[in-house]
Coordinates of all heavy atoms in Angstrom, one line a residue:
M1 N -9.6 114.7 -180.6 CA -10.6 113.8 -180.0 C -10.1 113.2 -178.7 O -10.8 113.2 -177.7 CB -10.9 112.6 -181.0 CG -12.0 111.7 -180.6 SD -13.6 112.5 -180.6 CE -14.7 111.2 -180.0
E2 N -8.9 112.7 -178.7 CA -8.4 112.2 -177.4 C -8.3 113.3 -176.3 O -8.5 113.0 -175.2 CB -7.0 111.5 -177.7 CG -6.4 111.0 -176.4 CD -5.4 109.9 -176.6 OE1 -5.7 109.1 -177.6 OE2 -4.4 109.7 -176.0
K3 N -7.9 114.5 -176.8 CA -7.8 115.6 -175.8 C -9.1 115.9 -175.2 O -9.2 116.1 -174.0 CB -7.2 116.8 -176.5 CG -6.7 117.9 -175.6 CD -5.9 118.9 -176.4 CE -5.1 119.8 -175.5 NZ -5.8 120.7 -174.7
K4 N -10.2 115.9 -176.0 CA -11.5 116.1 -175.5 C -11.9 115.1 -174.5 O -12.4 115.3 -173.4 CB -12.5 116.2 -176.6 CG -13.8 116.7 -176.2 CD -14.8 116.8 -177.4 CE -16.2 117.2 -176.9 NZ -17.2 116.4 -177.5
D5 N -11.6 113.8 -174.8 CA -11.9 112.7 -173.9 C -11.2 112.9 -172.5 O -11.8 112.7 -171.5 CB -11.5 111.4 -174.5 CG -12.5 111.0 -175.5 OD1 -13.6 111.6 -175.5 OD2 -12.2 110.1 -176.3
H6 N -9.9 113.3 -172.6 CA -9.2 113.5 -171.4 C -9.7 114.7 -170.6 O -9.8 114.6 -169.3 CB -7.7 113.7 -171.7 CG -6.8 113.6 -170.4 ND1 -6.7 112.4 -169.8 CD2 -6.2 114.5 -169.7 CE1 -6.0 112.6 -168.7 NE2 -5.6 113.9 -168.6
N7 N -10.2 115.7 -171.2 CA -10.8 116.8 -170.5 C -12.0 116.3 -169.8 O -12.4 116.7 -168.6 CB -11.1 118.0 -171.4 CG -9.9 118.8 -171.7 OD1 -9.0 118.8 -171.0 ND2 -10.0 119.5 -172.9
Q8 N -12.8 115.4 -170.4 CA -14.0 114.9 -169.8 C -13.6 114.1 -168.5 O -14.2 114.2 -167.5 CB -14.7 114.0 -170.7 CG -15.7 114.8 -171.7 CD -16.4 113.9 -172.7 OE1 -16.0 112.7 -172.9 NE2 -17.3 114.4 -173.3
I9 N -12.5 113.4 -168.6 CA -12.0 112.6 -167.5 C -11.6 113.5 -166.4 O -12.0 113.3 -165.2 CB -10.8 111.7 -167.9 CG1 -11.4 110.5 -168.8 CG2 -10.1 111.1 -166.7 CD1 -10.3 109.7 -169.4
L10 N -10.9 114.6 -166.7 CA -10.5 115.6 -165.7 C -11.7 116.2 -165.0 O -11.7 116.3 -163.8 CB -9.6 116.7 -166.3 CG -8.2 116.2 -166.8 CD1 -7.5 117.4 -167.4 CD2 -7.4 115.5 -165.8
R11 N -12.7 116.6 -165.8 CA -13.9 117.2 -165.2 C -14.6 116.1 -164.4 O -15.1 116.4 -163.3 CB -14.8 117.6 -166.3 CG -14.5 119.1 -166.7 CD -15.8 119.7 -167.4 NE -16.2 119.0 -168.5 CZ -15.8 119.1 -169.7 NH1 -14.8 119.9 -169.9 NH2 -16.2 118.3 -170.7
G12 N -14.7 114.9 -164.9 CA -15.4 113.8 -164.1 C -14.7 113.6 -162.8 O -15.4 113.5 -161.7
F13 N -13.4 113.6 -162.8 CA -12.6 113.4 -161.5 C -12.9 114.5 -160.6 O -13.1 114.3 -159.4 CB -11.1 113.2 -161.8 CG -10.4 113.1 -160.5 CD1 -10.4 111.9 -159.8 CD2 -9.6 114.1 -160.0 CE1 -9.7 111.8 -158.5 CE2 -8.9 114.0 -158.9 CZ -8.9 112.8 -158.1
H14 N -12.8 115.8 -161.1 CA -13.0 116.9 -160.2 C -14.4 116.8 -159.6 O -14.5 117.1 -158.4 CB -12.9 118.2 -161.1 CG -12.9 119.4 -160.2 ND1 -11.8 119.8 -159.5 CD2 -13.8 120.4 -160.0 CE1 -12.0 120.9 -158.8 NE2 -13.2 121.2 -159.1
A15 N -15.5 116.5 -160.3 CA -16.8 116.4 -159.8 C -16.9 115.3 -158.7 O -17.4 115.5 -157.6 CB -17.8 116.1 -160.9
R16 N -16.2 114.2 -158.9 CA -16.2 113.1 -157.9 C -15.5 113.5 -156.7 O -15.9 113.2 -155.6 CB -15.5 111.9 -158.5 CG -16.4 111.1 -159.4 CD -15.6 110.2 -160.4 NE -16.5 109.8 -161.5 CZ -17.0 108.6 -161.5 NH1 -16.8 107.7 -160.6 NH2 -17.8 108.2 -162.5
Q17 N -14.3 114.3 -156.9 CA -13.5 114.7 -155.8 C -14.4 115.7 -154.9 O -14.4 115.6 -153.6 CB -12.3 115.4 -156.2 CG -11.2 115.6 -155.2 CD -10.0 116.2 -155.7 OE1 -10.0 117.1 -156.6 NE2 -8.9 115.9 -155.2
S18 N -15.1 116.6 -155.6 CA -15.9 117.6 -154.8 C -17.0 116.9 -154.0 O -17.2 117.1 -152.9 CB -16.6 118.5 -155.8 OG -15.6 119.2 -156.6
R19 N -17.7 115.9 -154.7 CA -18.7 115.1 -154.0 C -18.1 114.3 -152.8 O -18.7 114.3 -151.7 CB -19.4 114.1 -154.9 CG -20.3 114.8 -155.9 CD -21.3 113.7 -156.5 NE -20.6 112.8 -157.4 CZ -20.4 112.8 -158.7 NH1 -20.9 113.9 -159.3 NH2 -19.8 111.9 -159.4
Q20 N -16.9 113.8 -153.0 CA -16.3 113.0 -152.0 C -15.9 113.9 -150.7 O -16.1 113.5 -149.6 CB -15.0 112.4 -152.5 CG -14.5 111.3 -151.6 CD -15.4 110.1 -151.4 OE1 -16.3 109.8 -152.3 NE2 -15.4 109.5 -150.3
L21 N -15.4 115.1 -151.0 CA -15.1 116.1 -149.9 C -16.3 116.4 -149.1 O -16.3 116.5 -147.9 CB -14.4 117.3 -150.4 CG -13.0 117.0 -150.9 CD1 -12.4 118.3 -151.7 CD2 -12.0 116.7 -149.8
V22 N -17.5 116.7 -149.8 CA -18.7 117.0 -149.2 C -19.2 115.8 -148.3 O -19.6 115.9 -147.1 CB -19.8 117.3 -150.2 CG1 -21.2 117.4 -149.5 CG2 -19.5 118.7 -150.9
A23 N -19.0 114.6 -148.9 CA -19.4 113.4 -148.1 C -18.6 113.2 -146.9 O -19.1 112.9 -145.8 CB -19.3 112.1 -149.0
I24 N -17.2 113.5 -147.0 CA -16.4 113.3 -145.8 C -16.8 114.3 -144.8 O -16.9 114.0 -143.6 CB -14.9 113.5 -146.3 CG1 -14.5 112.3 -147.1 CG2 -14.0 113.7 -145.0 CD1 -13.1 112.5 -147.8
A25 N -17.0 115.6 -145.2 CA -17.4 116.6 -144.2 C -18.7 116.2 -143.5 O -18.8 116.4 -142.3 CB -17.6 118.0 -144.9
M26 N -19.7 115.8 -144.3 CA -21.0 115.4 -143.7 C -20.8 114.2 -142.7 O -21.4 114.2 -141.6 CB -22.0 115.1 -144.8 CG -22.7 116.3 -145.3 SD -23.7 115.9 -146.8 CE -24.7 114.6 -146.2
A27 N -20.0 113.2 -143.1 CA -19.8 112.0 -142.3 C -19.1 112.4 -141.0 O -19.6 112.0 -139.9 CB -19.0 111.0 -143.0
L28 N -18.1 113.3 -141.1 CA -17.4 113.8 -139.9 C -18.4 114.6 -139.0 O -18.4 114.3 -137.8 CB -16.2 114.7 -140.3 CG -14.9 114.0 -140.6 CD1 -13.9 115.0 -141.1 CD2 -14.4 113.2 -139.5
F29 N -19.2 115.4 -139.6 CA -20.1 116.2 -138.8 C -21.1 115.3 -138.1 O -21.3 115.5 -136.9 CB -20.8 117.2 -139.7 CG -21.9 118.0 -139.1 CD1 -21.6 119.0 -138.2 CD2 -23.2 117.7 -139.2 CE1 -22.5 119.7 -137.6 CE2 -24.2 118.4 -138.6 CZ -23.9 119.4 -137.7
L30 N -21.6 114.4 -138.8 CA -22.6 113.5 -138.1 C -22.0 112.6 -137.0 O -22.6 112.5 -136.0 CB -23.3 112.6 -139.2 CG -24.3 113.3 -140.1 CD1 -24.7 112.3 -141.2 CD2 -25.5 113.8 -139.4
V31 N -20.8 112.1 -137.2 CA -20.2 111.4 -136.2 C -19.8 112.2 -135.0 O -20.0 111.8 -133.9 CB -18.9 110.7 -136.8 CG1 -18.1 110.1 -135.7 CG2 -19.3 109.6 -137.8
L32 N -19.3 113.4 -135.3 CA -19.0 114.3 -134.1 C -20.2 114.8 -133.4 O -20.2 114.8 -132.1 CB -18.2 115.6 -134.6 CG -16.8 115.3 -135.1 CD1 -16.2 116.6 -135.7 CD2 -15.9 114.8 -133.9
L33 N -21.3 115.0 -134.2 CA -22.6 115.5 -133.6 C -23.1 114.4 -132.6 O -23.5 114.6 -131.5 CB -23.6 115.8 -134.7 CG -24.9 116.2 -134.1 CD1 -24.8 117.6 -133.5 CD2 -26.0 116.3 -135.3
S34 N -23.1 113.1 -133.1 CA -23.6 112.0 -132.2 C -22.7 111.8 -131.1 O -23.1 111.4 -130.0 CB -23.9 110.8 -133.1 OG -22.9 110.6 -134.1
A35 N -21.3 112.0 -131.3 CA -20.4 111.9 -130.1 C -20.7 112.9 -129.1 O -20.8 112.7 -127.9 CB -19.0 112.0 -130.6
V36 N -21.0 114.2 -129.5 CA -21.4 115.2 -128.6 C -22.7 114.9 -127.9 O -22.8 115.0 -126.6 CB -21.5 116.6 -129.3 CG1 -22.1 117.7 -128.4 CG2 -20.1 117.1 -129.7
L37 N -23.6 114.5 -128.6 CA -25.0 114.1 -128.0 C -24.8 112.9 -127.1 O -25.5 112.9 -126.0 CB -26.0 113.8 -129.1 CG -26.4 115.0 -130.0 CD1 -27.3 114.6 -131.1 CD2 -27.1 116.1 -129.1
Y38 N -23.9 112.1 -127.4 CA -23.7 110.9 -126.6 C -23.1 111.3 -125.2 O -23.5 110.8 -124.1 CB -22.7 110.0 -127.2 CG -22.6 108.6 -126.6 CD1 -23.4 107.6 -127.0 CD2 -21.6 108.3 -125.7 CE1 -23.3 106.3 -126.5 CE2 -21.5 107.0 -125.1 CZ -22.4 106.0 -125.5 OH -22.3 104.8 -125.0
K39 N -22.2 112.3 -125.2 CA -21.6 112.8 -123.9 C -22.6 113.7 -123.2 O -22.5 113.8 -121.9 CB -20.4 113.6 -124.3 CG -19.3 112.8 -124.8 CD -18.0 113.0 -124.1 CE -16.9 112.1 -124.6 NZ -16.0 111.6 -123.5
R40 N -23.5 114.4 -123.9 CA -24.4 115.3 -123.2 C -25.8 114.9 -123.6 O -26.4 115.7 -124.4 CB -24.1 116.7 -123.6 CG -22.7 117.2 -123.2 CD -22.5 118.6 -123.6 NE -21.1 119.0 -123.5 CZ -20.6 120.1 -123.9 NH1 -21.5 121.1 -124.3 NH2 -19.3 120.4 -123.8
P41 N -26.4 113.9 -123.1 CA -27.7 113.5 -123.5 C -28.7 114.6 -123.0 O -28.5 115.2 -121.9 CB -28.0 112.2 -122.7 CG -26.9 112.1 -121.7 CD -25.7 113.0 -122.2
G42 N -29.7 115.0 -123.8 CA -30.6 116.0 -123.4 C -30.4 117.4 -124.0 O -31.1 118.3 -123.9
V43 N -29.2 117.5 -124.8 CA -28.9 118.8 -125.4 C -30.0 119.1 -126.4 O -30.5 120.2 -126.5 CB -27.5 118.8 -126.0 CG1 -27.3 120.0 -126.9 CG2 -26.4 118.7 -125.0
L44 N -30.3 118.1 -127.3 CA -31.3 118.3 -128.3 C -32.5 117.5 -128.0 O -33.3 117.1 -129.0 CB -30.7 118.0 -129.7 CG -29.7 119.0 -130.3 CD1 -29.3 118.5 -131.7 CD2 -30.3 120.4 -130.4
G45 N -32.8 117.2 -126.8 CA -33.9 116.3 -126.5 C -33.4 115.0 -126.0 O -32.3 114.8 -125.6
D46 N -34.3 114.0 -126.0 CA -34.0 112.8 -125.3 C -33.7 111.7 -126.3 O -34.5 111.1 -126.9 CB -35.3 112.3 -124.5 CG -34.9 111.9 -123.1 OD1 -33.7 112.0 -122.8 OD2 -35.8 111.6 -122.4
F47 N -32.4 111.5 -126.5 CA -31.9 110.4 -127.4 C -31.4 109.3 -126.5 O -30.8 109.5 -125.5 CB -30.7 110.9 -128.2 CG -31.1 111.9 -129.3 CD1 -30.8 113.2 -129.1 CD2 -31.6 111.4 -130.5 CE1 -31.2 114.1 -130.1 CE2 -31.9 112.4 -131.5 CZ -31.7 113.7 -131.3
S48 N -31.8 108.1 -126.9 CA -31.2 107.0 -126.1 C -29.8 106.7 -126.7 O -29.6 107.0 -127.9 CB -32.1 105.7 -126.3 OG -31.8 105.1 -127.6
K49 N -28.9 106.3 -125.9 CA -27.6 106.0 -126.4 C -27.5 105.0 -127.5 O -26.7 105.0 -128.4 CB -26.6 105.6 -125.2 CG -26.5 106.8 -124.3 CD -25.3 106.6 -123.3 CE -25.0 108.0 -122.6 NZ -23.9 107.9 -121.6
G50 N -28.5 104.0 -127.4 CA -28.5 103.0 -128.4 C -28.9 103.6 -129.8 O -28.3 103.2 -130.8
A51 N -29.9 104.6 -129.8 CA -30.3 105.2 -131.0 C -29.1 106.0 -131.6 O -28.9 106.0 -132.8 CB -31.5 106.1 -130.8
L52 N -28.3 106.7 -130.7 CA -27.2 107.5 -131.2 C -26.2 106.5 -131.9 O -25.6 106.8 -132.9 CB -26.6 108.2 -130.1 CG -27.3 109.5 -129.7 CD1 -26.6 110.1 -128.5 CD2 -27.3 110.5 -130.9
F53 N -25.9 105.4 -131.2 CA -24.9 104.5 -131.7 C -25.4 104.0 -133.1 O -24.6 103.9 -134.0 CB -24.7 103.3 -130.7 CG -23.7 102.3 -131.1 CD1 -22.4 102.7 -131.1 CD2 -24.0 101.0 -131.5 CE1 -21.4 101.8 -131.4 CE2 -23.0 100.1 -131.9 CZ -21.7 100.5 -131.9
G54 N -26.7 103.7 -133.2 CA -27.3 103.2 -134.4 C -27.1 104.3 -135.5 O -26.8 104.0 -136.6
A55 N -27.3 105.5 -135.1 CA -27.2 106.6 -136.1 C -25.8 106.8 -136.6 O -25.5 107.0 -137.8 CB -27.7 107.9 -135.5
Q56 N -24.8 106.5 -135.7 CA -23.4 106.6 -136.1 C -23.1 105.5 -137.1 O -22.4 105.7 -138.1 CB -22.5 106.5 -134.9 CG -22.1 107.8 -134.3 CD -21.2 107.7 -133.1 OE1 -21.5 106.8 -132.3 NE2 -20.2 108.4 -133.1
I57 N -23.6 104.3 -136.8 CA -23.4 103.2 -137.7 C -24.0 103.4 -139.1 O -23.4 103.2 -140.1 CB -24.0 101.8 -137.1 CG1 -23.3 101.5 -135.8 CG2 -23.8 100.7 -138.1 CD1 -21.9 101.2 -135.8
V58 N -25.2 104.0 -139.1 CA -25.9 104.3 -140.3 C -25.1 105.3 -141.1 O -24.9 105.2 -142.3 CB -27.4 104.7 -140.1 CG1 -27.9 105.4 -141.3 CG2 -28.2 103.6 -139.6
A59 N -24.6 106.4 -140.4 CA -23.8 107.4 -141.1 C -22.6 106.9 -141.7 O -22.2 107.2 -142.8 CB -23.5 108.6 -140.1
I60 N -21.9 106.0 -141.0 CA -20.7 105.5 -141.5 C -20.9 104.5 -142.6 O -20.2 104.5 -143.7 CB -19.9 104.7 -140.3 CG1 -19.4 105.8 -139.3 CG2 -18.7 103.9 -140.9 CD1 -18.9 105.2 -138.0
A61 N -22.0 103.7 -142.5 CA -22.3 102.8 -143.6 C -22.7 103.5 -144.8 O -22.3 103.2 -145.9 CB -23.5 101.8 -143.1
A62 N -23.5 104.6 -144.6 CA -23.9 105.4 -145.8 C -22.7 106.1 -146.5 O -22.6 106.1 -147.7 CB -24.9 106.5 -145.4
F63 N -21.8 106.5 -145.7 CA -20.6 107.1 -146.2 C -19.7 106.1 -147.0 O -19.3 106.4 -148.1 CB -19.7 107.7 -145.1 CG -18.4 108.2 -145.5 CD1 -18.2 109.3 -146.3 CD2 -17.2 107.5 -145.2 CE1 -17.0 109.8 -146.7 CE2 -16.0 107.9 -145.6 CZ -15.9 109.1 -146.4
L64 N -19.6 104.9 -146.4 CA -18.8 103.9 -147.1 C -19.5 103.4 -148.5 O -18.8 103.3 -149.5 CB -18.6 102.7 -146.2 CG -17.7 102.9 -145.0 CD1 -17.6 101.7 -144.2 CD2 -16.3 103.3 -145.5
A65 N -20.8 103.4 -148.4 CA -21.6 102.9 -149.6 C -21.4 104.0 -150.7 O -21.1 103.8 -151.9 CB -23.1 102.8 -149.3
F66 N -21.6 105.3 -150.3 CA -21.4 106.4 -151.2 C -20.0 106.5 -151.8 O -19.8 106.6 -153.0 CB -21.7 107.7 -150.5 CG -21.4 109.0 -151.4 CD1 -22.4 109.4 -152.3 CD2 -20.2 109.6 -151.3 CE1 -22.1 110.4 -153.2 CE2 -20.0 110.7 -152.1 CZ -20.9 111.1 -153.1
T67 N -19.0 106.2 -150.9 CA -17.6 106.2 -151.4 C -17.4 105.2 -152.4 O -16.7 105.4 -153.4 CB -16.6 106.0 -150.2 OG1 -16.9 107.2 -149.3 CG2 -15.2 106.0 -150.6
S68 N -17.9 104.0 -152.2 CA -17.7 102.9 -153.1 C -18.3 103.1 -154.4 O -17.8 102.6 -155.5 CB -18.1 101.5 -152.5 OG -19.5 101.4 -152.6
L69 N -19.4 103.9 -154.5 CA -20.0 104.2 -155.7 C -19.4 105.4 -156.4 O -19.2 105.5 -157.7 CB -21.5 104.6 -155.5 CG -22.4 103.4 -155.2 CD1 -23.8 103.9 -154.9 CD2 -22.5 102.5 -156.4
N70 N -19.0 106.4 -155.6 CA -18.5 107.7 -156.2 C -17.0 107.7 -156.4 O -16.6 108.3 -157.4 CB -18.8 108.9 -155.2 CG -18.3 110.2 -155.7 OD1 -18.7 110.7 -156.7 ND2 -17.4 110.7 -154.9
W71 N -16.2 107.1 -155.5 CA -14.8 107.3 -155.6 C -14.1 106.3 -156.5 O -13.4 105.4 -156.1 CB -14.2 107.3 -154.1 CG -12.8 107.8 -154.0 CD1 -11.8 107.1 -153.5 CD2 -12.3 109.0 -154.4 NE1 -10.6 107.9 -153.5 CE2 -10.9 109.0 -154.1 CE3 -12.9 110.2 -155.0 CZ2 -10.1 110.2 -154.4 CZ3 -12.1 111.2 -155.3 CH2 -10.7 111.2 -155.0
R72 N -14.4 106.5 -157.8 CA -13.9 105.6 -158.8 C -13.2 106.4 -159.9 O -13.5 107.6 -160.1 CB -15.0 104.8 -159.4 CG -15.6 103.8 -158.4 CD -16.8 103.1 -159.0 NE -17.3 102.1 -158.0 CZ -16.7 100.9 -157.9 NH1 -15.8 100.5 -158.8 NH2 -17.2 100.0 -157.0
C73 N -12.3 105.8 -160.6 CA -11.6 106.4 -161.7 C -12.6 106.6 -162.8 O -13.3 105.7 -163.2 CB -10.5 105.5 -162.2 SG -9.8 106.0 -163.7
P74 N -12.7 107.9 -163.4 CA -13.7 108.2 -164.5 C -13.3 107.4 -165.7 O -14.2 107.2 -166.6 CB -13.6 109.6 -164.7 CG -12.6 110.2 -163.7 CD -12.0 109.0 -163.0
A75 N -12.1 106.9 -165.9 CA -11.7 106.2 -167.1 C -11.9 104.8 -167.0 O -12.5 104.2 -167.9 CB -10.2 106.5 -167.4
C76 N -11.5 104.1 -165.9 CA -11.6 102.6 -165.9 C -12.6 102.2 -164.8 O -12.8 101.0 -164.7 CB -10.2 102.0 -165.6 SG -9.6 102.3 -163.9
N77 N -13.1 103.1 -164.0 CA -14.2 102.8 -163.0 C -13.7 101.9 -161.9 O -14.5 101.3 -161.2 CB -15.4 102.1 -163.8 CG -16.7 102.5 -163.1 OD1 -16.8 103.6 -162.6 ND2 -17.7 101.6 -163.1
K78 N -12.4 101.9 -161.6 CA -11.8 101.1 -160.5 C -11.8 102.1 -159.3 O -11.6 103.3 -159.5 CB -10.5 100.6 -160.8 CG -10.5 99.5 -161.9 CD -10.9 98.2 -161.3 CE -10.7 97.0 -162.2 NZ -11.8 96.9 -163.2
N79 N -11.9 101.5 -158.1 CA -11.8 102.3 -156.9 C -10.5 103.0 -156.7 O -9.4 102.4 -157.1 CB -12.1 101.4 -155.7 CG -12.4 102.2 -154.5 OD1 -11.6 102.8 -153.8 ND2 -13.7 102.2 -154.2
L80 N -10.5 104.2 -156.3 CA -9.3 105.1 -156.3 C -8.5 105.0 -155.0 O -7.5 105.6 -154.8 CB -9.6 106.5 -156.5 CG -10.1 106.8 -158.0 CD1 -10.6 108.2 -158.1 CD2 -8.9 106.7 -158.9
G81 N -9.0 104.2 -154.0 CA -8.2 104.0 -152.8 C -8.4 105.2 -151.8 O -9.4 105.9 -151.9
T82 N -7.4 105.4 -150.9 CA -7.7 106.3 -149.8 C -7.2 107.7 -150.1 O -7.4 108.6 -149.3 CB -6.9 105.8 -148.5 OG1 -5.6 105.5 -148.9 CG2 -7.6 104.5 -148.0
D83 N -6.4 107.9 -151.1 CA -5.8 109.3 -151.3 C -6.8 110.2 -152.1 O -7.1 110.0 -153.2 CB -4.6 109.1 -152.2 CG -3.8 110.4 -152.3 OD1 -4.3 111.5 -151.8 OD2 -2.7 110.4 -153.0
I84 N -7.2 111.2 -151.3 CA -8.3 112.2 -151.9 C -7.6 113.0 -152.9 O -8.3 113.6 -153.8 CB -8.9 113.0 -150.8 CG1 -10.1 113.8 -151.3 CG2 -7.9 114.0 -150.1 CD1 -11.3 113.1 -151.5
N85 N -6.3 113.2 -152.9 CA -5.6 114.1 -153.9 C -4.8 113.2 -154.9 O -3.8 113.7 -155.4 CB -4.6 115.0 -153.2 CG -5.4 116.1 -152.4 OD1 -6.3 116.7 -153.0 ND2 -5.0 116.3 -151.2
R86 N -5.3 112.1 -155.2 CA -4.7 111.2 -156.2 C -4.5 111.9 -157.5 O -5.4 112.6 -158.0 CB -5.5 109.9 -156.4 CG -4.8 108.9 -157.2 CD -5.5 107.6 -157.1 NE -5.4 107.0 -155.8 CZ -4.3 106.5 -155.2 NH1 -3.2 106.5 -155.9 NH2 -4.3 105.9 -154.0
R87 N -3.3 111.8 -158.1 CA -3.1 112.5 -159.4 C -3.2 111.5 -160.5 O -3.5 112.0 -161.7 CB -1.7 113.1 -159.4 CG -1.5 114.3 -158.5 CD -0.1 114.7 -158.4 NE 0.0 115.9 -157.5 CZ -0.3 117.2 -157.9 NH1 -0.6 117.3 -159.2 NH2 -0.3 118.2 -157.1
V88 N -2.9 110.3 -160.3 CA -2.9 109.3 -161.4 C -3.6 108.1 -160.9 O -3.4 107.7 -159.8 CB -1.4 109.0 -161.8 CG1 -1.4 107.8 -162.8 CG2 -0.7 110.2 -162.3
C89 N -4.5 107.5 -161.7 CA -5.1 106.2 -161.4 C -4.1 105.1 -161.3 O -3.3 105.0 -162.3 CB -6.2 105.9 -162.4 SG -6.9 104.3 -162.1
K90 N -4.0 104.4 -160.2 CA -2.9 103.4 -160.2 C -3.3 102.1 -160.9 O -2.5 101.3 -161.2 CB -2.5 103.1 -158.7 CG -3.6 102.9 -157.7 CD -3.1 102.5 -156.4 CE -4.2 102.1 -155.5 NZ -4.0 101.8 -154.2
K91 N -4.6 102.0 -161.3 CA -5.1 100.9 -162.1 C -4.8 101.0 -163.5 O -4.2 100.2 -164.1 CB -6.6 100.6 -161.8 CG -6.9 100.4 -160.4 CD -6.4 99.0 -159.9 CE -7.0 98.6 -158.6 NZ -7.1 99.7 -157.5
C92 N -5.2 102.2 -164.1 CA -5.0 102.3 -165.6 C -4.1 103.4 -166.0 O -3.8 103.6 -167.1 CB -6.4 102.6 -166.2 SG -7.1 104.3 -165.8
G93 N -3.5 104.2 -165.0 CA -2.4 105.1 -165.3 C -3.0 106.4 -165.9 O -2.1 107.3 -166.3
T94 N -4.3 106.6 -165.9 CA -4.8 107.9 -166.4 C -4.5 109.0 -165.5 O -4.6 108.9 -164.3 CB -6.3 107.8 -166.6 OG1 -6.6 106.7 -167.5 CG2 -6.9 109.1 -167.1
R95 N -4.1 110.1 -166.1 CA -3.8 111.3 -165.3 C -5.2 112.0 -164.9 O -6.1 112.1 -165.7 CB -3.0 112.4 -166.1 CG -2.1 113.3 -165.3 CD -1.1 113.9 -166.2 NE -1.7 114.4 -167.4 CZ -2.3 115.6 -167.5 NH1 -2.4 116.4 -166.4 NH2 -2.8 116.1 -168.7
L96 N -5.3 112.3 -163.6 CA -6.6 112.7 -163.1 C -6.7 114.2 -162.8 O -7.7 114.8 -162.6 CB -7.0 112.0 -161.8 CG -7.1 110.4 -162.0 CD1 -7.2 109.8 -160.6 CD2 -8.3 110.1 -162.8
R97 N -5.5 114.8 -162.8 CA -5.5 116.3 -162.5 C -4.5 117.0 -163.4 O -3.6 116.3 -164.0 CB -5.0 116.5 -161.1 CG -5.9 115.8 -160.1 CD -6.0 116.5 -158.8 NE -4.8 116.4 -158.0 CZ -4.5 117.3 -157.1 NH1 -5.2 118.3 -156.9 NH2 -3.4 117.2 -156.4
Ligands
ZN1 ZN1 -8.3 104.2 -163.9

């Protein structure tokens, strides 16, 4: 019974880690894209610099909101901090990998 629960935790962590990596890639892409558009206005049409700055803020805020919901320990639901390859939850000590 306990072994099965731990497998669920491992699977849960793996799913969260995958989602987190996708979110990091998307956030980086959006921030880089708006930085490129900021330097070269007119590449994809007429963006105002204010709108690009706003888009960057929205992308970063969305990423942080997603992270705070997703990047949690599957066992104790506490935030896992900045290490994407965390092996053990530092709050409850559950092995995550
Ligand atoms: Zn935990």
Side-chain angles (χ1 to χ4, degrees):
M1 188 65 185
E2 179 154 326
K3 195 166 196 292
K4 190 176 174 225
D5 285 344
H6 192 66
N7 281 337
Q8 278 175 347
I9 287 169
L10 294 181
R11 271 203 305 276
F13 176 72
H14 189 75
R16 282 159 196 259
Q17 195 180 34
S18 306
R19 286 198 293 267
Q20 193 61 30
L21 289 170
V22 170
I24 289 170
M26 276 172 51
L28 277 178
F29 175 74
L30 288 172
V31 168
L32 287 176
L33 180 68
S34 37
V36 168
L37 291 175
Y38 193 87
K39 292 231 175 214
R40 298 180 196 179
V43 170
L44 286 181
D46 228 359
F47 290 99
S48 79
K49 292 195 169 182
L52 282 175
F53 185 69
Q56 268 180 315
I57 299 295
V58 168
I60 292 167
F63 172 72
L64 291 177
F66 175 81
T67 299
S68 76
L69 287 174
N70 177 62
W71 194 233
R72 289 175 178 277
C73 172
C76 70
N77 215 32
K78 292 280 189 283
N79 198 282
L80 288 169
T82 52
D83 186 359
I84 189 73
N85 286 314
R86 189 168 291 291
R87 289 171 179 279
V88 175
C89 172
K90 46 176 191 187
K91 301 291 190 317
C92 68
T94 298
R95 209 161 48 80
L96 300 169
R97 304 209 290 155

